[in-house]
Amino acid sequence: MLSSYSVACPHADCGWTGSLVPSLLRGGANAEIASMQRAWFRCPGCDRDWEVRITNDKVTVLPVAAAK
């Protein structure tokens, strides 16, 4: 079963909040993510991606410089 996470889009001009299922790849299909694994979310509001690290049930947005 895929887990969804309560998130807020980090892009300053968006402001979307809701629940999303992460992806292992930028713009990829939804996937089950293991703890401490990097993942991506795609905002349904602005259609942009952002990279995160999921630790247990906590989502941490990675800074753009760390995402490279």
Side-chain angles (χ1 to χ4, degrees):
M1 184 166 117
L2 297 177
S3 297
S4 65
Y5 298 88
S6 294
V7 294
C9 181
H11 297 103
D13 59 343
C14 181
W16 180 90
T17 62
S19 293
L20 294 174
V21 177
S23 173
L24 289 171
L25 302 171
R26 185 177 192 166
N30 297 340
E32 190 65 32
I33 307 296
S35 185
M36 296 300 294
Q37 197 169 15
R38 286 186 174 195
W40 292 88
F41 287 111
R42 172 159 286 181
C43 179
C46 67
D47 204 34
R48 289 180 283 181
D49 297 320
W50 72 93
E51 191 174 11
V52 300
R53 181 177 300 275
I54 297 175
T55 306
N56 298 318
D57 288 330
K58 183 181 178 194
V59 176
T60 304
V61 176
L62 297 177
V64 174
K68 290 184 178 181

